[in-house]
Amino acid sequence: MSAELISASSRSRSPVGVLADGTSYYAPIGEVVVTGAMVTCPLCGRALRSVTAHLRVHGWTKLAYCEAFGLERGQSLEGTETRKLRAAALTSRLVFESAMRQGSAAGRARARTGELTRDAVRAARGRRMPEQRRRKAVAALAAIPPPVVAQANRDRASRHLTDVAAAVARRHGYPDLGSFVLARIEQGASLAAISREAGLGKDWLSRHLDCVDPVAAEAVRRRLPKRMDARWLPATTRLGFADVPSYLRERHINRHWTVNAIAAEVGLTHHTVEAALRRHGLARTAHAAKRHQAGQRAAQVAARLGFETMTDYVASRREAGWTWQAMAAECAQPPSWLRRQAQALSLP
């Protein structure tokens, strides 16, 4: 594990901080200050070949030192030359000392079986992450391109949704979430009610069913309008209509009934009527009856005067220099009404 190289010339012998127990230190937390063959001791600021051997002068163990200064337990506290000498000495011992060879072979066997890794995980459980490792992790993440990070986050979110869906289906005795949702829809439940029943937020299925089970989501979309139209059927059947869309089209589009008038006829609220119009793709017209009557009135007056529309009549008369009062006298309509007809042409 490589140590972070920091120029010793930028360091002073004055403390850079104080530990919780009041001990002053002379090197940043989470760093090993290495200059060539020398390592700076954070407890006194001296440059040494081996801080490991020097720690007993301060009464510290390496384990306590690594924990106090946010270093990983395997971090070397020696300079480059010292590490080379120790490596050469260890190689010689492996050749000439049978106990070293046996110990090394046992360690390699544990590593191959994964036992060594499992022991390390158990030992690290509950221990806070060292500052040195946290910095390395942050640096590694910063080097990953943002699109890759975004895709990884999406993949992780998708796996989480899949796991949640599988747990819900298993808890309610269904092979998958789609089967559970479709069964409850057939029983008259809404997506919000099913979400609550599953122990999720009321909008969870509305937001995520398409991702978890697209086939079930499409089936729900096909079945929901029929289920939601069920409350309309007694009234529409009594009035001679086979379905809700044909009734709404006849009343609102063809006969220009208002939403409130439709609601009064079928015995539902105006909010229910508006929702049905949206659900069946019919555009709602505010004040439909009055607008229709106004249009009929304008068409009748224009036809009596020999014009296709009132806008044609107004444009023709204004170009001829007629005043609003003269036009009102001719068509027997108020001047204010004529001015409203002219607004479509932006006439003065």
Side-chain angles (χ1 to χ4, degrees), residues 130-186:
E131 176 65 16
Q132 185 182 39
R133 186 183 302 173
R134 188 192 69 78
R135 292 184 183 182
K136 289 179 180 178
V138 169
L141 289 174
I144 301 175
V148 175
V149 175
Q151 185 60 49
N153 290 336
R154 287 192 292 270
D155 293 342
R156 183 168 60 253
S158 178
R159 288 193 299 271
H160 173 70
L161 292 178
T162 302
D163 293 343
V164 171
V168 168
R170 191 165 52 248
R171 191 163 60 247
H172 289 83
Y174 288 87
D176 52 58
L177 183 67
S179 302
F180 168 60
V181 171
L182 292 176
R184 295 293 292 119
I185 288 287
E186 287 295 332

Side-chain angles (χ1 to χ4, degrees), residues 232-243 246-247 250-251 265:
W232 287 74
L233 294 180
T236 55
T237 303
R238 172 172 47 82
L239 294 168
F241 292 90
D243 53 38
S246 61
Y247 167 76
E250 169 63 20
R251 291 294 191 263
E265 183 180 44

Side-chain angles (χ1 to χ4, degrees), residues 84 90 92 105 110 165 191 198 241 335:
K84 288 180 179 179
L90 180 60
S92 300
R110 293 185 67 202
L191 284 180
F241 292 90

